Amino acid sequence: MNKQWLLLSGILAVGIVALGVFAAYHWSDSPAPITNVSDEMREVANTLHNFMVNRTEGYNSDMHRTASALTGVTDKKNITDILYELYWEHPDGPGVYLVNASGGVVATVPYASMNDVLNNPEIQAITEKSFSNATDLRLEGPIYTQSYGEVLCFVLPVYTADGVYDGYICLGQTPGILADYVFPYSTGSNERYDVWITRPDGTILWHPNSDLIGKNIRTSRLFDEFRKEMLPILENPEGETSYRYRVLGYDTTILEKQAVWKTVMVSDMPSCVVLVNYQYAEPDIVFPENMTTVYLQNVVRSMYQYAGSHSKEQTFAAINDPNGPFTEKGVLTFAYDMNGTVLAHSTLPHMIGEQRLNYLGAYGATHPVVGMISRASQGGGFTHYYASLPYSDNMATFDLSYVLPVDDTWFVGASIPVTDTLFTYNSEFRAELHKNLEYARKYLNEHGKEQTLEELMAPSGVFRTDNVSVFAANYNGTILAASDIFPGSVGENSFSVISYHGGSVGREFVILAKSGGGFTYYDTETGVYLIYIEPVDDTWYMGTGVRIGDSHPSA
């Protein structure tokens, strides 16, 4: 369980400057109600809290070490190397950047990975006055980014040798991508521990249901029915209580949950770490009787035709109706607008009106709804992802979606599992792919582009393992280094590489690289690969991948 504690500490945050001292925030004078929680649960909560305190001290040291190393450094390459050292310590996040005293961006690693963060007004407002002293670490966000979902930003000032403010560094962490590693944690006998983290203002910084990250308990309609029961968590620095809420927020089943929480301080902002315990019933997994791509297309085409001859309201009502014309066993039907807002959904009626851009699949790769929007904006087509199953040990279905735009503002779609077989997903693959490109980047820094590309192509080169290899291409699609995963010859155009379901893989990799890189899927005739793309500069990228599945629906 230590690995789970360690990784959860990473999302929470660095730099605990005070514990149990909450003078900067006004708490309620009424104590939280005490519930009959078990001694075991209290012990788990204390262990979690203490472990995070110890780990975040080391996390904080990494930030301060980087700020110190940047003092007096002006060479762009040296600055980039220093930032990469911090990034490689915490690769499960979008990146790191340095801003100078006047607010100009000095460097970002990986290249362009933090552009959406840098364009956020909350981040652009950071100045010397934002920091009370040289050791003042700030927590900003969560901030939505297209490539990574909600991002928590930890910022620390940098000073010259003379003590003059010289800008700040920012380390981005995407809490959603840690969902595979942390909680929910099963205690057996259909009993469950979850952890979620909130600010006293109600903003959720972390939740095992990534849809809820960034939502506000005090204001979001998702909590209207349960808000009063949850307020003691927001109004007391620590305590025990019980409240009702949906099963991880994924369906309409409402459970009674027990909660124990403690608060830690990040700079002057308290964050409440909530440990939740409840009993649950194993969900029934319903698979469709027909799993062919033709069947899926026909379901969506019937929805599209219905939308063309009926009003929006009638179409939404038909999709939402459990006995409606589109209700099929094991088939998930929906409508979204091009901003990711749910317009209709056959299984998540409580999410109608909510934006789902931050929803993550099992590997934290390519946000499913973002992928659907991209495909719909191109005229429609297939997209796929691994959907993790609540209350399982890393089990998931491999889902295929087909979408069609009704007009340029919204689209309809449906999803089915690829087969009636559940998949076990290995979250350690992400770390393996990160390490592969970390090694490639270090090799590039030492040997240069030409020698690196030659080594990438070597059949027995240092970048080849039994299951992983590295490839490279430029932003025009030209293959610079091919691999077993990304076939072709050097000099050929990768835009002609087509996935099993008709996607232009080379184009999708370039789009991902230009937006700062990240994880995605590549489905071939022989299997499915988890792919990690990282831009080198504004002209080319490197990628790596690992085989994670081998099943497809029949044609």
Side-chain angles (χ1 to χ4, degrees):
M1 194 183 303
N2 277 356
K3 180 180 178 182
Q4 293 171 321
W5 301 132
L6 185 152
L7 287 165
L8 184 62
S9 68
I11 36 180
L12 215 185
V14 272
I16 297 176
V17 298
L19 295 172
V21 181
F22 311 112
Y25 188 84
H26 176 70
W27 299 94
S28 170
D29 293 330
S30 301
I34 301 298
T35 59
N36 187 29
V37 303
S38 66
D39 290 338
E40 177 188 353
M41 185 176 179
R42 293 189 181 100
E43 182 179 350
V44 171
N46 287 331
T47 301
L48 170 62
H49 181 267
N50 294 335
F51 189 87
M52 287 192 297
V53 169
N54 293 332
R55 294 305 303 178
T56 51
E57 288 177 354
Y59 214 121
N60 190 33
S61 297
D62 291 341
M63 293 282 288
H64 280 86
R65 184 182 67 247
T66 301
S68 178
L70 289 168
T71 300
V73 180
T74 57
D75 179 76
K76 180 68 174 291
K77 183 180 183 304
N78 290 340
I79 290 173
T80 299
D81 289 345
I82 293 170
L83 295 181
Y84 259 115
E85 289 300 321
L86 178 60
Y87 172 68
W88 288 327
E89 287 287 334
H90 308 282
D92 244 348
V96 182
Y97 69 78
L98 171 66
V99 163
N100 61 28
S102 60
V105 180
V106 178
T108 301
V109 299
Y111 183 84
S113 63
M114 297 283 277
N115 284 357
D116 285 348
V117 172
L118 286 161
N119 290 329
N120 184 275
E122 180 181 345
I123 294 297
Q124 293 177 343
I126 297 175
T127 65
E128 179 180 7
K129 294 180 180 179
S130 302
F131 306 98
S132 59
N133 56 66
T135 61
D136 186 10
L137 185 86
R138 293 180 57 86
L139 172 62
E140 304 289 346
I143 295 169
Y144 178 75
T145 67
Q146 181 173 341
S147 297
Y148 302 97
E150 298 289 351
V151 172
L152 299 179
C153 296
F154 304 104
V155 296
L156 186 72
V158 177
Y159 293 86
T160 67
D162 298 328
V164 178
Y165 177 72
D166 201 26
Y168 71 88
I169 53 173
C170 173
L171 171 66
Q173 291 285 274
T174 50
I177 64 175
L178 298 178
D180 294 340
Y181 304 108
V182 191
F183 284 89
Y185 167 73
S186 176
T187 64
S189 302
N190 286 8
E191 192 174 3
R192 199 78 175 176
Y193 284 147
D194 293 339
V195 163
W196 50 278
I197 301 169
T198 180
R199 287 175 172 163
D201 68 2
T203 302
I204 296 177
L205 303 181
W206 159 258
H207 197 281
N209 175 4
S210 56
D211 271 330
L212 298 182
I213 298 173
K215 296 291 194 293
N216 193 295
I217 296 171
R218 294 183 184 271
T219 60
S220 172
R221 69 175 187 81
L222 292 175
F223 300 96
D224 284 351
E225 185 179 351
F226 317 101
R227 183 173 296 114
K228 184 176 180 180
E229 299 170 40
M230 300 176 75
L231 282 179
I233 298 172
L234 306 180
E235 296 176 347
N236 295 271
E238 60 181 81
E240 301 173 358
T241 192
S242 61
Y243 67 92
R244 294 171 304 125
Y245 198 66
R246 299 181 182 91
V247 180
L248 279 184
Y250 288 119
D251 59 36
T252 56
T253 304
I254 296 175
L255 297 177
E256 182 84 11
K257 302 186 177 186
Q258 292 182 320
V260 178
W261 72 96
K262 292 180 179 291
T263 299
V264 297
M265 297 292 292
V266 182
S267 186
D268 59 349
M269 175 57 69
S271 297
C272 307
V273 187
V274 187
L275 179 71
V276 179
N277 178 245
Y278 53 93
Q279 291 189 332
Y280 64 94
E282 291 283 357
D284 292 328
I285 302 173
V286 180
F287 293 99
E289 295 178 356
N290 191 331
M291 293 186 179
T292 66
T293 56
V294 172
Y295 169 71
L296 181 62
Q297 287 176 300
N298 287 338
V299 170
V300 178
R301 285 169 181 163
S302 67
M303 297 167 65
Y304 173 82
Q305 292 168 355
Y306 189 97
S309 58
H310 295 76
S311 68
K312 279 187 176 182
E313 291 72 20
Q314 290 173 320
T315 303
F316 300 160
I319 295 172
N320 293 331
D321 186 354
N323 299 310
F326 311 120
T327 300
E328 299 282 351
K329 178 183 176 182
V331 181
L332 199 144
T333 55
F334 49 79
Y336 288 90
D337 70 17
M338 292 299 186
N339 295 316
T341 300
V342 182
L343 303 176
H345 205 290
S346 60
T347 61
L348 297 176
H350 62 282
M351 290 299 292
I352 293 172
E354 297 293 326
Q355 194 177 69
R356 297 195 74 209
L357 294 177
N358 199 51
Y359 168 61
L360 290 169
Y363 282 99
T366 304
H367 299 260
V369 177
V370 174
M372 293 176 193
I373 293 171
S374 176
R375 190 65 74 217
S377 66
Q378 299 171 38
F382 292 99
T383 183
H384 49 276
Y385 56 94
Y386 281 82
S388 58
L389 298 176
Y391 321 122
S392 66
D393 294 326
N394 286 357
M395 300 299 292
T397 56
F398 184 53
D399 289 0
L400 181 70
S401 297
Y402 185 73
V403 299
L404 285 175
V406 178
D407 57 33
D408 60 358
T409 64
W410 66 289
F411 63 90
V412 292
S415 297
I416 60 172
V418 165
T419 73
D420 58 4
T421 302
L422 297 181
F423 295 85
T424 300
Y425 59 93
N426 184 354
S427 300
E428 293 182 359
F429 282 153
R430 292 176 59 94
E432 185 175 358
L433 298 184
H434 269 302
K435 282 295 182 184
N436 238 36
L437 282 199
E438 175 185 341
Y439 186 34
R441 181 73 197 205
K442 289 179 178 178
Y443 192 96
L444 175 66
N445 288 351
E446 183 177 349
H447 300 283
K449 182 178 179 179
E450 183 176 349
Q451 187 172 338
T452 299
L453 294 177
E454 290 178 358
E455 189 64 25
L456 291 182
M457 289 295 295
S460 58
V462 297
F463 301 110
R464 302 294 179 111
T465 69
D466 292 339
N467 206 27
V468 181
S469 60
V470 178
F471 56 89
N474 65 25
Y475 289 173
N476 294 322
T478 303
I479 296 175
L480 304 178
S483 73
D484 296 337
I485 296 172
F486 198 50
S489 301
V490 172
E492 291 182 351
N493 194 289
S494 64
F495 292 170
S496 63
V497 178
I498 304 300
S499 71
Y500 183 83
H501 291 109
S504 176
V505 178
R507 292 183 188 277
E508 292 174 0
F509 289 175
V510 168
I511 292 171
L512 185 58
K514 285 184 174 181
S515 64
F519 288 89
T520 188
Y521 301 111
Y522 171 29
D523 58 330
T524 71
E525 288 189 8
T526 59
V528 183
Y529 293 84
L530 179 66
I531 301 292
Y532 176 59
I533 300 293
E534 190 171 295
V536 177
D537 55 30
D538 59 357
T539 65
W540 68 292
Y541 70 88
M542 291 189 289
T544 185
V546 60
R547 183 188 176 95
I548 57 175
D550 57 6
S551 296
H552 297 288
S554 57

